Amino acid sequence: LVAVAFLLAAWIGYTRFSIWHGRRVPSLQSVMDVLRRTWALRMVERDNRMVDVNIVRNLARASQFFASTTLLILGALIALLGYVQRAADVVSELPFAIEASHRLWDIKILLLIRIFVYSFFKFSWSIRQFGFCSIVVGAAPKTVQNEQEGAAEVANLSLIVSFASGNFNQGLRSYYFAMAALSWFLHPWLMVATTLWVIRVLYTREFHSRTLNVLRGGGIVI
């Protein structure tokens, strides 16, 4: 119970921390928001918007891939509920694995199912939002009549893309914490350790990665 509570608290806590911390220091989300606004500015200046349509299509393709993958994972987990004894026998042969009752095994599988259901909802909503972006691109006037009209188009596109990317990021983040939950099948304290490792990986990539440094214009640090 302590390990499961730690996983959920760490997930919720890191999500809120990343939003709060991202408003104070550069992060992948904040830097990409600037680039999205720059893209929207270029979009309203172009007569031919096929480039922008292809960009939205490529962004949506990643969400579609993970949404379909998540459905396959959910199908496998639901099927696993009917083979709990076989799965328990396999895991029991692994080193450091602890024995668990069938009821506890069901709870572990249901935890993973709930995580991936949450992930699917995030990816599917991201797909819809990217679809809205395509409509915004198509509805943008060919020639901007005034600065206020252009600012509205830029704000609409950049905000919706930011919302869609945020949902995609949350769905992808759930995959990381699902890996931590998966270690519960071996040992609860291993899940605690894996959760801490996942948080470290997420924090490093979002706030201290070389990719972030390049996007900020700082060049590659080796």
Side-chain angles (χ1 to χ4, degrees):
L1 290 177
V2 171
V4 174
F6 181 80
L7 172 70
L8 298 178
W11 189 348
I12 297 172
Y14 179 77
T15 300
R16 295 183 177 181
F17 168 79
S18 62
I19 296 173
W20 172 83
H21 195 53
R23 294 171 180 169
R24 288 159 176 77
V25 300
S27 65
L28 283 176
Q29 182 71 19
S30 62
V31 172
M32 290 304 299
D33 282 340
V34 174
L35 293 175
R36 292 182 190 108
R37 183 171 180 81
T38 303
W39 165 39
L41 285 169
R42 300 294 180 267
M43 185 272 295
V44 297
E45 297 172 355
R46 280 191 283 263
D47 292 332
N48 188 345
R49 307 234 168 105
M50 286 304 300
V51 173
D52 308 290
V53 172
N54 286 329
I55 291 174
V56 174
R57 186 180 301 165
N58 288 332
L59 292 173
R61 190 173 295 140
S63 295
Q64 293 167 354
F65 169 78
F66 278 102
S68 59
T69 302
T70 302
L71 286 178
L72 294 176
I73 294 174
L74 285 172
L77 289 173
I78 293 173
L80 183 61
L81 289 172
Y83 297 91
V84 171
Q85 185 58 52
R86 293 185 183 180
D89 293 340
V90 172
V91 173
S92 63
E93 297 178 358
L94 299 175
F96 307 110
I98 61 173
E99 295 184 4
S101 63
H102 283 193
R103 178 176 296 180
L104 185 56
W105 262 85
D106 290 339
I107 293 174
K108 293 177 180 181
I109 297 173
L110 288 174
L111 174 63
L112 284 174
I113 290 176
R114 184 163 185 173
I115 291 175
F116 284 107
V117 167
Y118 168 84
S119 176
F120 174 77
F121 280 121
K122 286 298 180 180
F123 287 131
S124 60
W125 182 225
S126 176
I127 293 170
R128 289 196 65 190
Q129 288 174 316
F130 281 127
F132 301 153
C133 293
S134 299
I135 297 176
V136 172
V137 171
K142 185 176 180 180
T143 302
V144 178
Q145 301 296 331
N146 53 65
E147 185 177 349
Q148 184 177 2
E149 182 182 10
E153 298 297 333
V154 168
N156 289 339
L157 180 59
S158 59
L159 280 176
I160 296 178
V161 174
S162 180
F163 295 155
S165 299
N167 281 285
F168 175 80
N169 186 44
Q170 292 180 34
L172 193 60
R173 188 179 293 163
S174 67
Y175 268 66
Y176 285 83
F177 284 100
M179 298 300 295
L182 186 63
S183 62
W184 188 18
F185 287 93
L186 295 178
H187 201 285
W189 294 117
L190 180 60
M191 182 168 68
V192 172
T194 308
T195 301
L196 292 173
W197 174 73
V198 164
I199 291 176
R200 182 181 182 278
V201 170
L202 290 173
Y203 177 78
T204 301
R205 291 183 177 180
E206 292 185 27
F207 296 100
H208 295 286
S209 63
R210 288 183 292 180
T211 300
L212 174 61
N213 190 61
V214 172
L215 291 174
R216 292 179 60 195
I220 300 177
V221 178
I222 301 178

